[in-house]
Amino acid sequence: MTDIFFNSPNWQKELASAVGDVATLYELLDLPLPSQYHAPKKFPLRVPHAFIAKMKKGDPNDPLLLQVLPDIAETLPVAGYTTDPLDENNHNPIKGLIHKYQSRALITVTGACAVHCRYCFRQHFDYGANLPNGEDVRQICDYISNDKNINEVLLSGGDPLNINNRRFNEWILSLSNIHHIKTIRIHTRMPAILPSRIDDELLAILADCPKNIVMVLHINHANEIDDVLAKKCQQLKNSGVVLLNQSVLLKGVNDDVETLCQLSHRLFDIGVIPYYLHILDKVAGSAHFDLPIERAIEIYWQLLEKLSGYLVPKLVQEIAGEPYKVPIDVYQFQRCT
């Protein structure tokens, strides 16, 4: 691998100026500030200006706004919604490492994200106890090196692209030295939220990696896709990165067939393959985004009718204790006609 030279990137300045005040967000969107609004101190509002610019001004129901705006419903306890819905705390053998699936291991390289999505399944995760330092990195790599069943490593968090290029490159170099690792997968919201993060240094790191690089974007609505994102995706593809997308089925955001069809078409237009459509993880504070499984299946049947097979993401649910993403049995309920 060649030497990478690191500069001070503009994306970090953009990230530092992200909006964290609810009243400011309302003002930027030309919305009247409600007499009462939710401004949590734990897991507060966080959204960069680049993502706000994609929201429709004057629309309190904008689907991008709804994903990031704190709602008082988050404070209501709902039976079945927990702080660790995927039981990750019991699959955390080493600080910074989650190993739930036989052939894959996940590293929480950071607890930080550019945006705080209100349905995030790790919003209660104890990142303070799981941020790996230099010694932890060595232990993680030793763990992976000693388990030949692991052939793919996921860089996650938080958002793994929230760390700077130097630290990101250190992870790539360390993992690239493990012979039986075939693929490094990066799960990120950054290209859609803060596209300037995809800079020349990062592209060079990815292009220079000897392993397969898969980047799984997280885009829930076609309005998140614009010409800037399209350009960044093309640059990633030119660097040898395979681009997939996962979405979460969210009430009031994308829970209708036309919205999801438009998303699949726009993703394909920019060279991204629809990969997963997730049933919402039942994390405490997110119940207002959930919808009945019958409705999810009804939407999925309609997607099968309207889209070519390669545009239909897999409808899945992550269930604590299961050794894989669980495909939804779409025959479990009678199809609505």
Side-chain angles (χ1 to χ4, degrees):
M1 300 179 72
T2 59
D3 292 331
I4 305 294
F5 298 93
F6 301 99
N7 299 305
S8 178
N10 291 328
W11 69 268
Q12 288 182 318
K13 298 176 183 177
E14 288 189 54
L15 187 59
S17 67
V19 174
D21 176 68
V22 173
T24 299
L25 180 59
Y26 273 98
E27 182 180 358
L28 289 170
L29 293 174
D30 295 338
L31 289 169
L33 185 66
S35 57
Q36 291 185 327
Y37 57 87
H38 184 44
K41 293 183 178 180
K42 185 178 180 181
F43 200 61
L45 170 73
R46 180 174 175 80
V47 55
H49 287 270
F51 195 63
I52 297 172
K54 298 180 183 181
M55 300 176 187
K56 183 179 179 182
K57 289 188 175 183
D59 184 2
N61 295 312
D62 178 87
L64 277 57
L65 172 63
L66 294 179
Q67 295 180 55
V68 303
L69 182 66
D71 191 305
I72 193 65
E74 297 173 12
T75 65
L76 304 176
V78 180
Y81 293 79
T82 69
T83 57
D84 185 20
L86 306 184
D87 195 29
E88 291 187 323
N89 291 327
N90 288 324
H91 296 83
N92 192 193
I94 296 176
K95 183 179 179 181
L97 181 73
I98 296 173
H99 189 194
K100 292 170 41 177
Y101 303 148
Q102 185 180 65
S103 65
R104 286 93 72 203
L106 182 148
I107 303 172
T108 55
V109 301
T110 178
C113 282
V115 65
H116 285 173
C117 301
R118 308 317 302 176
Y119 51 88
C120 176
F121 69 90
R122 288 203 186 113
Q123 59 184 278
H124 306 286
F125 189 72
D126 188 0
Y127 287 108
N130 269 285
L131 292 182
N133 57 31
E135 178 57 32
D136 298 320
V137 172
R138 286 188 287 274
Q139 291 185 18
I140 288 172
C141 289
D142 286 345
Y143 179 100
I144 295 171
S145 296
N146 291 328
D147 189 340
K148 299 298 192 295
N149 289 318
I150 299 174
N151 56 41
E152 183 172 10
V153 175
L154 284 67
L155 298 182
S156 185
D159 194 311
L161 294 187
N162 214 80
I163 63 176
N164 62 38
N165 286 328
R166 185 179 298 279
R167 288 179 58 205
F168 183 80
N169 190 50
E170 289 170 354
W171 278 110
I172 295 295
L173 290 173
S174 297
L175 296 171
S176 295
N177 288 329
I178 302 175
H179 179 72
H180 58 271
I181 295 302
K182 298 181 180 298
T183 300
I184 299 173
R185 195 193 320 172
I186 303 159
H187 281 220
T188 180
R189 195 95 156 92
M190 277 288 202
I193 297 295
L194 194 69
S196 59
R197 177 64 186 94
I198 312 302
D199 57 21
D200 291 342
E201 285 181 355
L202 178 64
L203 292 167
I205 293 168
L206 297 172
D208 206 39
C209 180
K211 305 295 185 179
N212 298 320
I213 294 286
V214 175
M215 184 174 288
V216 181
L217 308 182
H218 179 176
I219 298 172
N220 294 317
H221 196 281
N223 290 0
E224 299 177 40
I225 301 172
D226 59 10
D227 291 342
V228 176
L229 177 58
K231 180 180 178 180
K232 294 300 183 180
C233 287
Q234 186 59 56
Q235 291 174 335
L236 287 164
K237 288 168 67 70
N238 291 344
S239 298
V241 178
V242 175
L243 295 176
L244 307 175
N245 184 70
Q246 59 179 355
S247 304
V248 180
L249 192 57
L250 300 168
K251 184 178 180 180
V253 173
N254 59 9
D255 57 331
D256 68 89
V257 67
E258 294 303 329
T259 297
L260 290 172
C261 283
Q262 186 180 20
L263 174 59
S264 283
H265 282 296
R266 289 291 292 121
L267 287 168
F268 193 72
D269 287 344
I270 64 171
V272 180
I273 298 298
Y275 172 46
Y276 278 146
L277 177 61
H278 284 274
I279 299 298
L280 182 79
D281 296 317
K282 294 187 181 299
V283 62
S286 70
H288 57 293
F289 283 114
D290 210 354
L291 63 154
I293 189 67
E294 297 93 333
R295 175 59 182 153
I297 290 174
E298 178 184 354
I299 292 171
Y300 198 69
W301 278 114
Q302 294 173 21
L303 286 177
L304 290 170
E305 285 184 354
K306 291 178 174 291
L307 292 173
S308 299
Y310 57 86
L311 293 178
V312 181
K314 298 175 184 176
L315 183 64
V316 297
Q317 185 172 25
E318 193 158 358
I319 299 176
E322 293 292 346
Y324 42 73
K325 295 282 195 306
V326 177
I328 297 298
D329 176 11
V330 296
Y331 293 98
Q332 63 181 292
F333 297 108
Q334 184 175 357
R335 182 184 177 190
C336 297
T337 56

